[in-house]
Amino acid sequence: PLAPPFITDTMHTVVEVMAVYEAALVTKETREVDFAPILDAALDPVLNFARQIAFNLPPTDAPVFLINCLSCIQGPLTKHDFTSRRVELLAALIDDQMALLVSTQSNASLSRLGFAERLQDIREKPADVPIASVPSLHPLSLSACLRAFYTSLFATGTLHLAEVNKIA
């Protein structure tokens, strides 16, 4: 797993606690409600610490770090029926981080390929101004940008998204 030790160590302890709790004589109806405070006490500080670390990482690395942390936490919880609410919450947090990762990666790729400036110019162009009159949107400029993009499709590593490979 690519999660830091403070996450994996906490999850080893939580797994042991869940195994003991599962063997307890607690009715199935009350299990999740009774166990929720234990999960809150064990996981909330760890998640807050992970968020603090992610805040200090580069924008392209932060979502990957959090996805790995959240996945490491979610995995063991999926094996128990009394953790379903927490599993759903973690799934939503992972989805949010995936959306952020896609956004940051696509923005980085668009910038690297020269499309970001052109998209911005299209968004900011007044409706009454012809596209060809905007320097970055002139047909020759667009043609050069598209040629560079086409070339990059066949160049090794140009569109490689290294951050995606870091997801566990």
Side-chain angles (χ1 to χ4, degrees):
L2 296 174
F6 71 90
I7 297 278
T8 55
D9 293 347
T10 298
M11 288 315 297
H12 287 301
T13 303
V14 169
V15 165
E16 291 174 12
V17 171
M18 287 189 301
V20 170
Y21 186 74
E22 190 153 55
L25 298 175
V26 179
T27 63
K28 197 167 193 154
E29 295 77 33
T30 61
R31 279 184 172 202
E32 188 155 11
V33 173
D34 291 347
F35 199 70
I38 296 168
L39 284 178
D40 293 345
L43 301 181
D44 289 350
V46 176
L47 286 171
N48 287 334
F49 186 53
R51 285 185 186 113
Q52 289 174 355
I53 291 171
F55 181 76
N56 294 313
L57 294 174
T60 54
D61 291 340
V64 172
F65 175 77
L66 286 173
I67 289 167
N68 287 334
C69 290
L70 293 166
S71 296
C72 182
I73 293 169
Q74 185 188 41
L77 298 182
T78 61
K79 298 173 185 162
H80 302 279
D81 61 347
F82 54 89
T83 60
S84 62
R85 285 190 197 131
R86 183 58 80 137
V87 169
E88 289 172 10
L89 172 69
L90 291 167
L93 294 173
I94 290 169
D95 287 345
D96 291 346
Q97 292 304 313
M98 289 295 270
L100 182 60
L101 178 62
V102 167
S103 175
T104 57
Q105 289 299 298
S106 60
N107 288 339
S109 292
L110 288 172
S111 291
R112 192 171 48 251
L113 296 170
F115 284 114
E117 175 190 341
R118 284 157 180 83
L119 287 172
Q120 187 66 29
D121 290 345
I122 289 171
R123 289 183 186 115
E124 294 174 353
K125 180 191 80 57
D128 60 337
V129 174
I131 288 179
S133 68
V134 178
S136 68
L137 301 176
H138 188 274
L140 292 176
S141 177
L142 286 176
S143 177
C145 185
L146 289 170
R147 266 194 308 279
F149 172 70
Y150 182 76
T151 302
S152 70
L153 287 176
F154 299 103
T156 306
T158 304
L159 295 176
H160 179 70
L161 305 175
E163 288 78 11
V164 174
N165 292 336
K166 296 176 187 174
I167 296 175

